[in-house]
Structures are given as C-alpha cells and as structure tokens.
Amino acid sequence: MTAGRPDVTLGPVSFYSPGQTAEKTGFSLDTLRYYEKIGLLGEIDRTAAGRRRFSEDDIGWLGMLRCLRETGMPIADMLRFSELARDGDDETIPDRIALLEAHDRYVEERMVTLRAQQRHIQDKIRYYRDLVAGT
Amino acid sequence: MTAGRPDVTLGPVSFYSPGQTAEKTGFSLDTLRYYEKIGLLGEIDRTAAGRRRFSEDDIGWLGMLRCLRETGMPIADMLRFSELARDGDDETIPDRIALLEAHDRYVEERMVTLRAQQRHIQDKIRYYRDLVAGT
DNA sequence: AGTTGACCTGGAGTGCGCTCCAGAATGCAG
DNA sequence: CTGCATTCTGGAGCGCACTCCAGGTCAACT
C-alpha cells in the first residue's frame, strides 16, 4: 500500500491498487468508485477476485479529470467529455477541442474577475490599515 | 422595481427596496433574506409596514460579501467577518485585517494553481490539434 | 488457523448554499 | 375600488458532489 510504485503482479503492465491510485491522484477511494459508477472512468480493469486495477492511462485520465474538476467544470460536462473520449472515435476530436476551448475561456474569464476581486479585498485591507494608522 | 434609483420616500437618506437591491447586487431576493436571517447583514431597516429598506451602506456591504463569496470564502468565515464588522469595535480591526489577508493569500494561491491547470488544458487542446493535423 | 487490513457492493446520508412554496398583507396604477 | 405586483414569514425542498455505512470477501503475514 505504500504509495507510488505500481504492482506488476499480473502481467507486464503496471497497475495500481485503489489505495495507490487514491494517493497518486488525490481522489478518495469513494470518489474513484463514484466516478467509475457515473461513467467518468469507463470500466476499470479487475483482478480475478474483482478488485480494481488502475492502469497508467487511468491515472493520466484521472489527472485530467482532476484538472477539469478543480477549475470548476461541472460533473455533467466532464461526463460529456468522457463519453467523447471513450468513444475514441477521431470524429469526436473536434468536439473535445471545442469543449476544452470553451472551458479554457471560462477559466481565463474567471482569473480576470478573480484578479479584480482580489484588488477589492486588498483595497479593503488598505482601508482598515489606514483606519488603524490614523488613530 | 425599475432599477438603480433609490427611493427617498422616507427621510433624507436613500433607500432601496428588496427588488432594487437584488438588481444592484446580483443577489436574489431569497438570498438577501437568507443572508439577513443567518446574520451576514445584521438587522435591515424596515418601513412601517415591515418591508425592508436597504441603505447605501447595506449595498456596499453586500458588494463586499459578494466579492468574498465569489472568491470562494465559505459562509461560515463571512459570518465571522460580519460579526467583527458589526461590533464596529476598533479592537476588531486587526482581526478583520488578518482575516482578509488570509483570504487574499488564498485567492493568490488559487490563481497560481488555476494558471497551471489552464496550461494543462491548453496542452491537451494542442495535443488534440496535433492529432487532427497528423491525419 | 487466525488476525489484520485493503477492498467489494448497494444504498443511505451529508453539507453547503441557496431556492421554492403557501398563504397573507401592502402598495400603487388606472 | 379593482387588480396586479411586490413583499412578508416560516419552513420545506433541492442540486451538487461527494461521503459514509453495513455486511461481506479476499490476501497476506505469523
């Protein structure tokens, strides 16, 4: 369970246990199961005993999901993106690009307003500082 | 209900109806009531008939709340800030400054990670573009 | 063989931040 | 005076994204 190094117990490819995957990706075990259940992950490989084995690709995909999630994309949109990607169909690539570009613009806009709001906060700090200074 | 101009119906000071306030601040009527109820707004002035009259100060304070909210401050923290501000006590000013500074750092950090994540998204877009180009 | 710990499933529960509703009162235009 | 819009209250409901739980299986070590 110690993190990082993949299990190679079954075959030539590297696999990660759910616990390792949670540690590597920052998602909780429950969230990993949840993401699989709702279709963000497709079917995850299983051992003979039915336990999940995450591949390097899965880890990479989880990284993308984490990025989208943390930049504020709703699960519903991530689901759309996942479905496009899962189809693997090259015809879906323009759609995937469009989706990511829209999100990129969203993130850009968010940073702009965030900067403005930060200025507002800093103004307020300065205002309070001046109050103290002028006492 | 038309927006912007305050009612001066009662006294020399400008007041805004809940509807006007909602329009000016971007909060819904329900949210304004909710914020008052949980203590983010203190007691709002009322007309003889019991309707709320928001002052210019209230509007300003709502602007601050909006800024904090949209930059990701949880309601619980905003509540703490509101209580400090409501006491009006000058002794609370250092605490208010500390609270805002902590939040300022939080916003700063968030923008940094946001930029990194945006790069990740843009990399993915480029990757998809190259896929298309190399077909 | 026994104990410990990671993992399984299905489904219920949680926390946050609103949002909606019913039923009643008020305000204002024609 | 009529009618329609606005606002009032208390409390229920909602959407999102998890998170927790019970009861069981399986693996690995001693």
Side-chain angles (χ1 to χ4, degrees):
Chain A
M1 87 281 296
T2 63
R5 279 129 274 150
D7 281 336
V8 200
T9 347
L10 281 151
V13 197
S14 309
F15 288 108
Y16 296 88
S17 74
Q20 290 171 331
T21 307
E23 244 182 282
K24 272 184 86 77
T25 63
F27 288 118
S28 76
L29 290 171
D30 275 321
T31 300
L32 290 173
R33 285 190 211 108
Y34 170 67
Y35 276 12
E36 186 187 2
K37 183 160 62 178
I38 64 173
L40 285 179
L41 291 181
E43 294 266 300
I44 296 295
D45 237 53
R46 303 295 182 116
T47 67
R51 295 173 172 209
R52 289 175 183 79
R53 296 184 323 172
F54 293 85
S55 68
E56 292 288 355
D57 276 8
D58 292 331
I59 303 286
W61 179 245
L62 282 165
M64 188 77 231
L65 290 182
R66 187 148 199 79
C67 175
L68 295 176
R69 191 70 204 80
E70 290 196 339
T71 48
M73 183 181 286
I75 297 260
D77 293 5
M78 287 167 48
L79 204 48
R80 167 121 182 86
F81 184 56
S82 302
E83 278 156 7
L84 289 172
R86 181 135 13 87
D87 289 352
D89 197 346
D90 284 359
E91 286 187 6
T92 70
I93 290 183
D95 287 353
R96 289 185 248 173
I97 291 175
L99 196 153
L100 290 185
E101 281 178 337
H103 188 58
D104 178 45
R105 283 192 297 276
Y106 166 80
V107 172
E108 185 64 39
E109 215 183 274
R110 198 147 162 54
M111 288 199 314
V112 170
T113 70
L114 218 47
R115 261 189 285 280
Q117 287 161 334
Q118 191 186 33
R119 258 175 258 125
H120 189 167
I121 292 163
Q122 291 170 346
D123 285 350
K124 195 74 172 185
I125 293 173
R126 237 168 277 125
Y127 166 78
Y128 281 139
R129 287 231 183 83
D130 290 353
L131 272 192
V132 174
T135 303
Chain B
M1 85 288 293
T2 62
R5 281 127 272 153
D7 280 336
V8 201
T9 346
L10 281 152
V13 197
S14 309
F15 288 108
Y16 297 87
S17 75
Q20 290 172 330
T21 307
E23 245 182 281
K24 272 184 87 77
T25 64
F27 288 119
S28 75
L29 290 171
D30 275 322
T31 299
L32 291 174
R33 283 193 273 269
Y34 170 67
Y35 276 12
E36 186 187 1
K37 181 159 64 179
I38 64 173
L40 284 179
L41 291 180
E43 294 266 298
I44 296 295
D45 238 53
R46 303 296 183 113
T47 66
R51 293 173 171 206
R52 291 176 182 78
R53 297 184 322 174
F54 292 85
S55 68
E56 291 288 354
D57 276 8
D58 292 331
I59 303 285
W61 179 246
L62 282 164
M64 187 77 231
L65 290 181
R66 188 150 197 76
C67 174
L68 296 177
R69 191 72 204 78
E70 289 196 340
T71 48
M73 181 180 288
I75 298 260
D77 294 4
M78 287 167 47
L79 204 47
R80 165 123 183 85
F81 184 56
S82 302
E83 278 155 6
L84 290 173
R86 182 133 16 85
D87 290 351
D89 198 347
D90 283 359
E91 288 186 6
T92 71
I93 289 183
D95 288 353
R96 288 186 248 173
I97 291 175
L99 196 154
L100 290 184
E101 280 177 338
H103 188 58
D104 178 44
R105 285 191 296 276
Y106 166 80
V107 172
E108 185 63 40
E109 214 183 274
R110 202 154 155 50
M111 288 199 315
V112 170
T113 71
L114 217 48
R115 260 189 286 279
Q117 288 163 333
Q118 190 187 33
R119 257 174 260 126
H120 189 166
I121 292 164
Q122 290 170 348
D123 286 350
K124 193 77 173 184
I125 292 173
R126 237 168 277 126
Y127 166 78
Y128 280 140
R129 287 233 183 83
D130 290 354
L131 272 192
V132 175
T135 303

